C-alpha cells in the first residue's frame, strides 16, 4: 500500500511555462514533506521541503504548496527550464517515523 | 566535504549468488538509509541504521540484510539473488532530526542474470 502517491508518471512542459507536479499521501502522521530531483546515473538531490505548519514554501523558481485537509502537495516550477528535465520524487516523514517514504516519481520533460 | 560514496557502481551477478554493497556516508552523518529503485516503483525503503543499530526496516524479505560499522560506514547484503532484485540500490546519509534531509550516493546498479 503506497503511502505517498504521484499519479502522473510523466509530464511534458514547454520551456518558460509553469510545471506543476502533484503528490498525495495517505498517512496523517506525516508532518514533513520533501521534494527530490534525480538525473539519470545520479542519486536524488534535495530540492525543497515544507513542514505541516506551513501551507507554502518558496525557493527561487520552486514553490511547494501543502493542503493538509486534502493530504495533497504540489511543486510548482516557474519558469521551467530544459535543465529541470529530471525525475521528481515526493517524500514524506514525521518526527516519530524514523524513515522517509518516497513516491514513485514523475518524469518531467521541459521542451525547448 | 566529500559526499556519500557507494561502491561498486555496477555489478552483474547470476541467480542464486549473493552480493555485498558498500556505502560511506558524509563525514559526521551517523544515520544511513538504503533504498531500492526500480522503474515504476520509485524508491522503496529497505532499512535505516543509526549508531550501528537498525532502527527501521521496510517490507523486504530476509534475503536483504545490512549492517553499520562504528565509523558509520554501512553495507547491505542480498543473498540468493533473484532476477527481480535487479535494481539501482541507493544509500543515503543524514544527520538525525525532524527534517531528515537525505544526501544520496550515486547508487549501485545491480543486474541479476
Amino acid at each position: 500500500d503506497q503511502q505517498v502517491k504521484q499519479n502522473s508518471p510523466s509530464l511534458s512542459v514547454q520551456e518558460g511555462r509553469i510545471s506543476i507536479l502533484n503528490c498525495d499521501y495517505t498517512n496523517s502522521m506525516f508532518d514533513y514533506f520533501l521534494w527530490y530531483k534525480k538525473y539519470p546515473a545520479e542519486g536524488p538531490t534535495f530540492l525543497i521541503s515544507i513542514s505541516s505548519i506551513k501551507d507554502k514554501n518558496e525557493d527561487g523558481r520552486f514553490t511547494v504548496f501543502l493542503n493538509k485537509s486534502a493530504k495533497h502537495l504540489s511543486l510548482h516550477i516557474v519558469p521551467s527550464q530544459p535543465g529541470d528535465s529530471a525525475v521528481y520524487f515526493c517524500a514524506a516523514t514525521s518526527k516519530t517515523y524514523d524513515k522517509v517514504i518516497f513516491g514513485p516519481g514523475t518524469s518531467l520533460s521541459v521542451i525547448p | 566535504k566529500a559526499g556519500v560514496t557507494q561502491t561498486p557502481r555496477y555489478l552483474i551477478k547470476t541467480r542464486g549468488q549473493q552480493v555485498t554493497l558498500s556505502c560511506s556516508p558524509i563525514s559526521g552523518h551517523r544515520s544511513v538509509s538504503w533504498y531500492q529503485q526500480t522503474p515504476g516503483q520509485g524508491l522503496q525503503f529497505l532499512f535505516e541504521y543509526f549508531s550501528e543499530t537498525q532502527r527501521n526496516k521496510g517490507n523486504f524479505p530476509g534475503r536483504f540484510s545490512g549492517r553499520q560499522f562504528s565509523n558509520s560506514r554501512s553495507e547491505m547484503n542480498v543473498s540468493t539473488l533473484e532476477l527481480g532484485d535487479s535494481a539501482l540500490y541507493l544509500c543515503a546519509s543524514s544527520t538525525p532530526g525532524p527534517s531528515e534531509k537525505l544526501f544520496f550516493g550515486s547508487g549501485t546498479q545491480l543486474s541479476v542474470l
Side-chain angles (χ1 to χ4, degrees):
Chain A
D1 178 35
Q2 273 204 336
Q3 299 186 66
V4 179
K5 304 176 185 182
Q6 294 176 258
N7 293 322
S8 298
S10 62
L11 177 67
S12 197
V13 170
Q14 287 288 131
E15 181 179 3
R17 306 293 290 268
I18 183 171
S19 294
I20 300 176
L21 294 90
N22 293 304
C23 175
D24 297 289
Y25 60 96
T26 57
N27 191 334
S28 54
M29 282 182 59
F30 290 144
D31 58 14
Y32 197 83
F33 305 89
L34 311 96
W35 286 91
Y36 285 79
K37 178 165 115 172
K38 185 181 185 299
Y39 293 117
E42 295 182 13
T45 54
F46 170 77
L47 191 57
I48 192 169
S49 62
I50 188 166
S51 163
S52 60
I53 62 173
K54 294 186 175 181
D55 54 19
K56 176 182 171 181
N57 189 27
E58 198 170 346
D59 184 2
R61 296 185 298 114
F62 302 91
T63 303
V64 57
F65 295 92
L66 174 62
N67 182 334
K68 286 190 294 293
S69 60
K71 293 194 180 70
H72 176 84
L73 59 154
S74 61
L75 174 68
H76 293 210
I77 306 173
V78 183
S80 301
Q81 299 174 353
D84 296 329
S85 297
V87 177
Y88 289 79
F89 291 100
C90 173
T93 187
S94 75
K95 295 182 198 60
T96 57
Y97 213 50
D98 281 343
K99 58 185 176 182
V100 180
I101 304 299
F102 284 80
T106 295
S107 178
L108 173 66
S109 296
V110 180
I111 303 162
Chain B
K1 227 182 214 185
V4 178
T5 305
Q6 289 188 249
T7 56
R9 283 299 305 272
Y10 303 94
L11 263 179
I12 299 176
K13 293 285 187 179
T14 56
R15 277 182 301 173
Q17 287 188 307
Q18 78 163 26
V19 67
T20 299
L21 314 181
S22 180
C23 172
S24 293
I26 291 172
S27 176
H29 287 191
R30 292 164 62 194
S31 174
V32 173
S33 302
W34 288 89
Y35 289 83
Q36 180 196 65
Q37 186 192 3
T38 53
Q41 291 295 312
L43 277 66
Q44 300 290 308
F45 174 78
L46 280 154
F47 25 66
E48 189 240 355
Y49 287 87
F50 178 75
S51 292
E52 302 178 67
T53 301
Q54 187 181 87
R55 284 203 301 192
N56 236 312
K57 191 176 192 308
N59 296 325
F60 279 82
R63 299 185 297 107
F64 292 81
S65 63
R67 58 178 176 167
Q68 186 180 32
F69 303 95
S70 58
N71 62 358
S72 294
R73 192 177 71 83
S74 177
E75 287 181 348
M76 70 162 276
N77 184 278
V78 188
S79 62
T80 321
L81 283 166
E82 300 176 0
L83 295 178
D85 296 333
S86 295
L88 178 67
Y89 290 87
L90 291 159
C91 165
S93 73
S94 65
T95 52
S99 66
E100 287 284 8
K101 189 192 299 184
L102 301 172
F103 295 83
F104 283 88
S106 297
T108 294
Q109 183 67 55
L110 172 65
S111 298
V112 182
L113 306 177

